[in-house]
Amino acid sequence: MSSGIRRRLLARSAGVIAAVALAITATPLVGTAQADSAVSGSLSFSGETGEPISGGQSYEYTAGAVQLFDVEAGSNEQGLTVAVDATEGTLWRLLISAPEGQKLTAGTTYTGAKKWPYIQPGDPGLEFSGTDNGTEKWCNTSTSGSFTIENIAFGPYGYVSELDATFEQYCNGTALRGEVHAVMPAAPEELAIGVNLDATGTVDAQTGVITVGGDVTCNKPARFTFRASAYQIQKHATASGVNGEDAFFVDCTPGAPVPWTVSFPSNLEPDAAFKPGPAVLRARGEAPDRDYPVTQYTGDLSREITLVKS
């Protein structure tokens, strides 16, 4: 499933199950690592007679036969969300979390689980709800229950690679029981970036505008945000400038260095213009990882360069 389709599905479902969105506020997925539809998996659940979400019926969904089967966790590995969008108007969400300050751990059964707004910091969190053929299905009273993490495997920043869990939720004295199994695609590699500053720049002898540059490298597509500055110690003054109030962007694709250039005058010391000769180029940049809630930084870069007439 493409990321564009996935975003549209999530946006559609988010408006339908506002009650579930409130539950996320109580057990936030800190810095969620974005995933895609599961390679394989299933969600099944059934309820007792009178149970409001299942209506006393049994349901089962498998990855590949639904529009979306997704598992996302926070980078702190405390909580996760299972999202299944079966067809238009039918979707289900399972939210589970360990008590505050703890991580979801394989082989652990969490009892006394509650939903928002009844959950307290020492409680596990559990809420299962959704929409069935356009009808909202959720418990409008305090719920309690338990869940068991039979198996869970995390990748970078809370990326869930595998999940096997069972859960039991009580509403108005009736029980809903279910289980979820998922194998997600291999975790994306973390973003790695590199930056090079060219040893030579040019200067317009009439305007004093310099053009400097370098190249960037990356192991997966990324957009760099850059700031550059330069200074030149002259006999009677120091020329210095920065590339302007706004940063500039460099779109990097893996496979080969991507060149960049930027031009600016001596705007910090307007009475001293850049001239041909030695100077110092400085730059710093950053690029967010498209797959994880993290930004990679270049740090402060600096090198001596030579300005030549353009």
Side-chain angles (χ1 to χ4, degrees):
M1 175 179 293
S2 71
S3 59
I5 294 175
R6 179 177 171 279
R7 284 193 296 269
R8 289 195 293 274
L9 287 170
L10 289 176
R12 171 175 61 80
S13 62
V16 178
I17 52 172
V20 175
L22 289 175
I24 297 177
T25 303
T27 54
L29 303 185
V30 179
T32 303
Q34 300 299 316
D36 296 310
S37 258
V39 174
S40 63
S42 64
L43 169 69
S44 59
F45 61 94
S46 61
E48 297 174 344
T49 301
E51 196 280 320
I53 298 172
S54 67
Q57 304 298 310
S58 298
Y59 296 79
E60 183 171 1
Y61 304 92
T62 58
V66 295
Q67 296 183 76
L68 177 71
F69 196 117
D70 187 25
V71 181
E72 293 187 357
S75 58
N76 59 8
E77 301 179 9
Q78 178 192 347
L80 62 79
T81 300
V82 177
V84 174
D85 284 18
T87 58
E88 186 73 28
T90 297
L91 50 97
W92 305 99
R93 296 294 183 267
L94 170 66
L95 290 87
I96 58 178
S97 64
E100 187 174 301
Q102 299 182 29
K103 295 182 178 182
L104 292 171
T105 305
T108 302
T109 295
Y110 298 86
T111 59
K114 297 180 177 62
K115 74 168 188 175
W116 185 90
Y118 308 99
I119 187 171
Q120 299 298 313
D123 297 329
L126 169 66
E127 182 167 3
F128 183 79
S129 57
T131 301
D132 189 14
N133 291 320
T135 301
E136 292 187 31
K137 301 285 188 176
W138 59 293
C139 184
N140 59 4
T141 64
S142 174
T143 61
S144 63
S146 63
F147 60 92
T148 298
I149 303 296
E150 298 174 345
N151 170 55
I152 192 166
F154 287 108
Y157 304 101
Y159 186 97
V160 179
S161 300
E162 298 178 8
L163 174 66
D164 296 284
T166 60
F167 58 95
E168 186 174 275
Q169 176 175 278
Y170 287 89
C171 180
N172 299 327
T174 58
L176 177 147
R177 298 177 178 89
E179 59 184 78
V180 59
H181 307 277
V183 176
M184 304 304 294
E189 58 185 348
E190 298 178 62
L191 176 63
I193 60 176
V195 179
N196 175 63
L197 305 181
D198 290 340
T200 302
T202 63
V203 58
D204 186 311
Q206 293 184 342
T207 64
V209 172
I210 64 171
T211 298
V212 293
D215 59 60
V216 298
T217 57
C218 54
N219 62 338
K220 60 183 179 181
R223 164 162 278 202
F224 283 76
T225 302
F226 262 109
R227 293 299 300 269
S229 64
Y231 71 90
Q232 182 182 56
I233 299 176
Q234 301 169 353
K235 186 174 182 180
H236 300 292
T238 297
S240 61
V242 65
N243 68 278
E245 295 182 359
D246 298 323
F248 63 98
F249 302 98
V250 181
D251 289 316
C252 181
T253 54
V258 177
W260 59 269
T261 59
V262 64
S263 300
F264 53 89
S266 176
N267 46 29
L268 298 180
E269 298 291 341
D271 294 333
F274 286 114
K275 300 176 182 179
V280 175
L281 173 62
R282 292 175 171 173
R284 65 178 183 269
E286 61 185 62
D289 193 318
R290 62 191 298 173
D291 298 304
Y292 299 112
V294 65
T295 297
Q296 300 293 345
Y297 297 91
T298 64
D300 292 324
L301 309 172
S302 178
R303 75 169 299 173
E304 295 183 359
I305 65 171
T306 299
L307 298 176
V308 299
K309 287 184 178 180
S310 58

